[in-house]
Amino acid sequence: MKIRRADERGYADHGWLRSYHTFSFANYHDPKHMGFRALRVINEDHVAGGHGFGAHPHRDMEIISYVLEGEMEHKDNMGNGEVMRPGDVQRMSAGTGVVHSEFNHSKENGLHFLQIWIEPKALGIKPSYEQKAFPAADRQNQWRLVASQQGREGSVSLNQDVNLYAGSFDAGDSVKTPATRYAWLHVVKGAVEVNGEQLSTGDAAAFEPGDAISVTGQDTSEVLLFDLA
């Protein structure tokens, strides 16, 4: 297990946007942290009320948004326009090219969300979009599959061989972790004990195939687990 602490991440403060970068992104470059397997970006963004990212292009990337607090308004040139709330998972396959915008839906309250980029399995596919809600009860004290290559078990579908699980744990809760190949665990909020090590909000850990992964809640916490080929 290799731990990546929250305070080791890149950081950018644009006033209306405060962003922490787990992997190299924009002006933050660290050759030791360019991604993990197909996982290329985990940005933890705090967006002030009334602000957001104006229309901008993407191509050949699987982009997942995961809202922690507040509401995020999404629009794209495929005709999609939705508001995301905590528990929602949005997937956009940029493929041959898509233009979209992401704004804080509120003029007053802050927006806190994760933006995740995964390198696609196939290039040049037709762009597509999907958003699903995963109620808190489905993630409480268990791992809930929220994204997968085939869209299994009601998850959003990905153009890559990746399984993404979300789990919420109370203090003392410990559940069996799904079998993984390479794995990346990211603590969304709270604190958990992972293989005897304390991990808190923003901390992450990388695992090799066959590594045991034991997760126990230390207080009310939320965790993402990536299973990667």
Side-chain angles (χ1 to χ4, degrees):
M1 182 174 75
K2 295 181 180 179
I3 296 175
R4 172 78 157 142
R5 294 294 181 186
D7 60 5
E8 298 171 349
R9 297 178 295 176
Y11 177 66
D13 188 343
H14 302 282
W16 63 271
L17 168 68
R18 294 182 296 112
S19 185
Y20 296 88
H21 309 314
T22 295
F23 304 113
S24 294
F25 186 85
N27 293 329
Y28 167 63
H29 179 77
D30 182 345
K32 294 181 180 179
H33 296 96
M34 297 300 296
F36 183 76
R37 310 300 292 177
L39 179 58
R40 180 60 187 83
V41 168
I42 300 179
N43 287 348
E44 181 182 352
D45 291 340
H46 298 261
V47 181
H51 291 272
F53 304 91
H56 58 281
H58 291 284
R59 65 178 301 132
D60 287 327
M61 193 66 70
E62 299 293 293
I63 299 172
I64 297 173
S65 297
Y66 190 90
V67 174
L68 308 177
E69 296 177 300
E71 298 177 322
M72 186 178 79
E73 184 175 353
H74 165 95
K75 292 182 180 179
D76 61 48
N77 64 346
M78 295 180 286
N80 300 299
E82 292 195 62
V83 175
M84 287 189 68
R85 298 175 176 85
D88 291 347
V89 175
Q90 177 197 100
R91 183 272 306 162
M92 188 173 66
S93 296
T96 54
V98 66
V99 176
H100 78 138
S101 63
E102 301 156 298
F103 274 87
N104 187 339
H105 189 58
S106 171
K107 300 297 184 183
E108 298 83 22
N109 301 320
L111 166 66
H112 182 195
F113 77 104
L114 295 181
Q115 184 164 115
I116 299 159
W117 292 9
I118 295 173
E119 295 173 350
K121 186 172 184 178
L123 302 178
I125 67 170
K126 181 180 179 181
S128 62
Y129 169 94
E130 188 178 13
Q131 180 173 318
K132 291 187 177 182
F134 297 90
D138 289 357
R139 295 173 279 118
Q140 188 62 44
N141 304 332
Q142 61 184 323
W143 293 108
R144 174 63 165 98
L145 185 66
V146 298
S148 65
Q149 187 174 13
Q150 295 85 18
R152 303 189 320 277
E153 301 173 23
S155 63
V156 300
S157 59
L158 292 174
N159 173 29
Q160 183 51 274
D161 185 8
V162 173
N163 297 310
L164 173 57
Y165 299 88
S168 299
F169 307 100
D170 292 327
D173 287 333
S174 181
V175 298
K176 184 177 180 180
T177 300
T180 58
R181 297 157 295 178
Y182 291 90
W184 185 272
L185 183 147
H186 182 90
V187 181
V188 175
K189 64 180 180 182
V192 293
E193 184 181 280
V194 181
N195 292 4
E197 295 281 352
Q198 179 93 4
L199 271 64
S200 301
T201 303
D203 289 345
F207 301 87
E208 297 290 314
D211 286 350
I213 306 175
S214 174
V215 179
T216 302
Q218 299 298 293
D219 59 23
T220 301
S221 56
E222 189 170 353
V223 182
L224 294 180
L225 178 66
F226 298 82
D227 165 44
L228 303 135

